[in-house]
Amino acid sequence: MKTRGFTLVELLVTLAVGAILLMIAIPGYAYLVKTNKLAAVTNTLVTSIQLARSEAIKRGVRVTVCKSNSALMAVPSCNPSAEWHHGWLVFVDEGTRGVVDLSDTLLWAQDSAPDATNIISNNFDRYISYLPSGASQGSNGLSNGTIRVCVSGVQRKIIINTAGRPRLSSGYC
């Protein structure tokens, strides 16, 4: 009579090989998750910026993207003291510049970015406005600037030129 099964040595070798493969795969998976989170946040922000630019050109009015920590509230508002990763609004800005007035039309409301996400801007510290020509204008009057999106040490820059067009660049925080 022949018995079937594994010996203890065979089982230990199999577990050792499996542990080594997991040690190799887990850091790669963590990097994959981190870069996907970075891509998702960056793509959402770029989509909001492109929406603002295209709507400004289409409608022939100023359209603004502003920081907001109340984006999904019943009455959302821009908040200059909020951070970009708290959320943002895209709206037709026909009243006070950079402020959601009663006459303004809300086009997009984005809630806060995932944890461990940091979004910093140099020239667009409160908002980015797009004029009917498609040109951008920051809250400090400058037309170009950079928005850095960082997730766990990996960075994407959204570089907005003087014509208002965004482009991406990768790097490290």
Side-chain angles (χ1 to χ4, degrees), residues 31 34 38 116 149-156 171-173:
Y31 180 77
K34 180 176 29 175
L38 175 65
V149 181
C150 292
V151 174
S152 303
V154 182
Q155 167 183 277
R156 287 234 175 112
Y172 297 97
C173 300

Side-chain angles (χ1 to χ4, degrees), residues 111-158:
D111 199 15
S112 61
D115 291 338
T117 303
N118 195 11
I119 303 174
I120 303 167
S121 177
N122 60 352
N123 287 347
F124 306 117
D125 57 341
R126 291 185 3 221
Y127 63 82
I128 308 164
S129 280
Y130 279 93
L131 305 174
S133 65
S136 60
Q137 187 176 54
S139 51
N140 57 7
L142 298 175
S143 61
N144 61 341
T146 302
I147 300 171
R148 294 182 323 139
V149 181
C150 292
V151 174
S152 303
V154 182
Q155 167 183 277
R156 287 234 175 112
K157 287 182 185 176
I158 303 170

Side-chain angles (χ1 to χ4, degrees), residues 47-59:
T47 299
S48 300
I49 291 168
Q50 289 174 332
L51 171 68
R53 186 169 191 264
S54 67
E55 287 294 316
I57 294 167
K58 181 175 89 174
R59 295 172 185 245

Side-chain angles (χ1 to χ4, degrees), residues 62-120:
R62 177 184 295 270
V63 177
T64 298
V65 181
C66 72
K67 301 185 297 184
S68 174
N69 54 1
S70 64
L72 298 182
M73 300 284 240
V75 181
S77 64
C78 296
N79 185 349
S81 63
E83 300 294 334
W84 280 104
H85 60 269
H86 292 150
W88 57 85
L89 302 171
V90 180
F91 62 98
V92 176
D93 197 358
E94 296 184 285
T96 306
R97 193 176 297 169
V99 176
V100 181
D101 298 320
L102 293 176
S103 63
D104 293 340
T105 304
L106 186 64
L107 302 173
W108 181 294
Q110 179 63 43
D111 199 15
S112 61
D115 291 338
T117 303
N118 195 11
I119 303 174
I120 303 167

